[in-house]
Amino acid sequence: MLMICLTSVNDIRSDSQMLDDCIRAMAAGDSSGLAQLYEQVSPAVYGFALSVLKNRHDAEDVLQDCFINALGGAAGYRSAGKPMAWLLTITRNLCMQKLRERRRSLDIPEEDWERYIESIDRVTPEDRLVLTEVMRTLSDEERQIVVLHAVGGFKHREIAELMEMPLATVLSKYSRSIKKLRKHL
């Protein structure tokens, strides 16, 4: 069931040229580029922010701030074929700033993950059940890695760069997460 979700959500990342075009349109002052970019990647950005911040309201704030910053920085964006990495780097920096401001370390309320999972149109009801179980059984870091891989469609190497962790650590945490999920289900 999780593979179905991975396949459908990986479409976000597979069209990086379209995302690059949206960013170029934003740089040219075309607001439709921002709207299209938001529509395509906001679930991944929000999911990543939620996995870091552990608070729905803060994640929503970071989601908005990310796109405001992206709009402001679009003129300086240089495509390297990885627009999602650029957006998630902005998101991560905003999350770190918010964490420094608030100095929080609370667990993510279960209802926040359930609301987020329910809000994703591309996910089937069966996949929602699986994702809900993943969120309940994983640690914060494991949850972030799974969200980036499953929702964001990132490769483990890219996740290691985003989270500033060794690739081996990301691989082992992802492997442990999948084993926890299998054991739990």
Side-chain angles (χ1 to χ4, degrees):
M1 285 190 296
L2 186 57
M3 292 308 293
I4 294 168
C5 175
L6 291 176
T7 302
S8 64
V9 179
N10 274 339
D11 293 340
I12 292 171
R13 195 173 164 276
S14 67
D15 199 1
S16 61
Q17 181 60 43
M18 188 268 304
L19 299 179
D20 277 341
D21 291 343
C22 291
I23 296 169
R24 278 192 284 281
M26 289 166 37
D30 183 358
S31 62
S32 67
L34 177 62
Q36 188 175 8
L37 183 70
Y38 183 87
E39 182 180 311
Q40 293 296 315
V41 301
S42 62
V45 170
Y46 175 77
F48 178 60
L50 183 60
S51 72
V52 173
L53 296 171
K54 305 162 190 62
N55 179 287
R56 181 173 53 95
H57 298 290
D58 288 345
E60 290 168 356
D61 289 344
V62 165
L63 174 67
Q64 291 176 354
D65 291 345
C66 174
F67 286 96
I68 291 169
N69 287 0
L71 181 61
Y77 172 73
R78 299 294 173 253
S79 176
K82 298 180 180 183
M84 279 299 295
W86 180 66
L87 289 167
L88 289 182
T89 299
I90 293 170
T91 305
R92 181 187 51 148
N93 292 340
L94 290 168
C95 288
M96 294 302 118
Q97 179 182 353
K98 189 157 289 279
L99 287 173
R100 281 190 298 273
E101 289 170 4
R102 305 268 167 100
R103 305 248 189 255
R104 289 192 197 178
S105 62
L106 302 172
D107 288 333
I108 298 175
E110 199 170 287
E111 61 273 6
D112 282 356
W113 278 109
E114 290 172 356
R115 276 191 220 120
Y116 168 65
I117 291 168
E118 289 171 7
S119 72
I120 303 173
D121 296 335
R122 298 178 296 255
V123 179
T124 66
E126 294 84 13
D127 289 337
R128 283 189 184 108
L129 289 172
V130 172
L131 289 172
T132 300
E133 289 302 312
V134 167
M135 297 308 150
R136 289 181 181 153
T137 61
L138 301 178
S139 72
D140 287 344
E141 279 186 338
E142 291 168 335
R143 192 176 300 123
Q144 289 174 25
I145 291 168
V146 169
V147 166
L148 284 171
H149 188 71
V151 178
F154 281 82
K155 295 178 182 175
H156 297 292
R157 174 181 36 81
E158 296 167 328
I159 295 169
E161 290 173 18
L162 282 170
M163 295 183 68
E164 298 177 347
M165 299 173 87
L167 176 60
T169 303
V170 170
L171 290 169
S172 66
K173 287 183 182 287
Y174 182 78
S175 177
R176 269 185 263 141
S177 301
I178 296 303
K179 287 177 184 175
K180 279 184 183 179
L181 175 61
R182 286 183 184 140
K183 182 179 179 182
H184 183 73
L185 294 177

